[in-house]
Structures are given as C-alpha cells and as structure tokens.
C-alpha cells in the first residue's frame, strides 16, 4: 500500500503536523488540500495552511506521529 504525505502548519501557533493518506484513495489537488485544512481546523482547532514543497507520494509506510486523513 502506498501513502502520500504532506506537512501542514497552524498559521497562528506555528505548530506543524504531517498528514498522510492512501495514494489510491485521494487525488492530490487543491480540493484535497482545502479539505485537509478544514479537517485540521475542526480536529485540532485554528487555521491551517499547507507547507509548500512538502508533498511526498508513493511512500511505503505512514510517518511516525502522522495524522491519517480518510475523509
């Protein structure tokens, strides 16, 4: 199973989280990024933004301490 990983940062606190999902489940596009940002806001609170250049696809395992996006 392949995983995609992207970093998101809280725009107020500066906290960064790694979010991963199954690559065969979601297409990486602006719609997905927006959905993840909203999901993080609902789950963790605050406003979240994607970290430019952080996208990794076809990873063999999820990151340690990552949050799985299934939405």
């Amino acid at each position: 199973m392949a995983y995609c990983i992207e970093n998101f940062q809280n725009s107020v606190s500066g906290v960064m989280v790694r979010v991963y999902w199954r690559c065969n489940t979601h297409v990486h596009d602006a719609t997905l990024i927006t959905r993840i940002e909203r999901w993080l806001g609902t789950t963790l609170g605050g406003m979240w933004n994607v970290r430019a250049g952080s996208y990794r696809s076809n990873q063999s395992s999820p990151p340690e301490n990552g949050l799985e996006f299934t939405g």
Side-chain angles (χ1 to χ4, degrees):
M1 177 178 311
Y3 295 92
C4 293
I5 303 167
E6 189 138 38
N7 297 332
F8 290 81
Q9 186 170 6
N10 185 294
S11 60
V12 175
S13 69
V15 170
M16 189 189 74
V17 296
R18 284 187 154 174
V19 177
Y20 68 94
W21 60 92
R22 285 192 235 162
C23 289
N24 64 343
T25 305
H26 301 288
V27 175
H28 184 258
D29 62 9
T31 301
L32 174 64
I33 291 169
T34 301
R35 286 174 48 211
I36 293 173
E37 289 171 344
R38 288 181 182 158
W39 172 73
L40 286 170
T42 301
T43 304
L44 303 177
M47 298 291 292
W48 293 84
N49 300 96
V50 67
R51 292 285 307 264
S54 67
Y55 177 67
R56 303 288 179 259
S57 63
N58 296 317
Q59 303 298 298
S60 59
S61 61
E64 287 187 32
N65 300 319
L67 299 174
E68 182 177 16
F69 178 74
T70 59

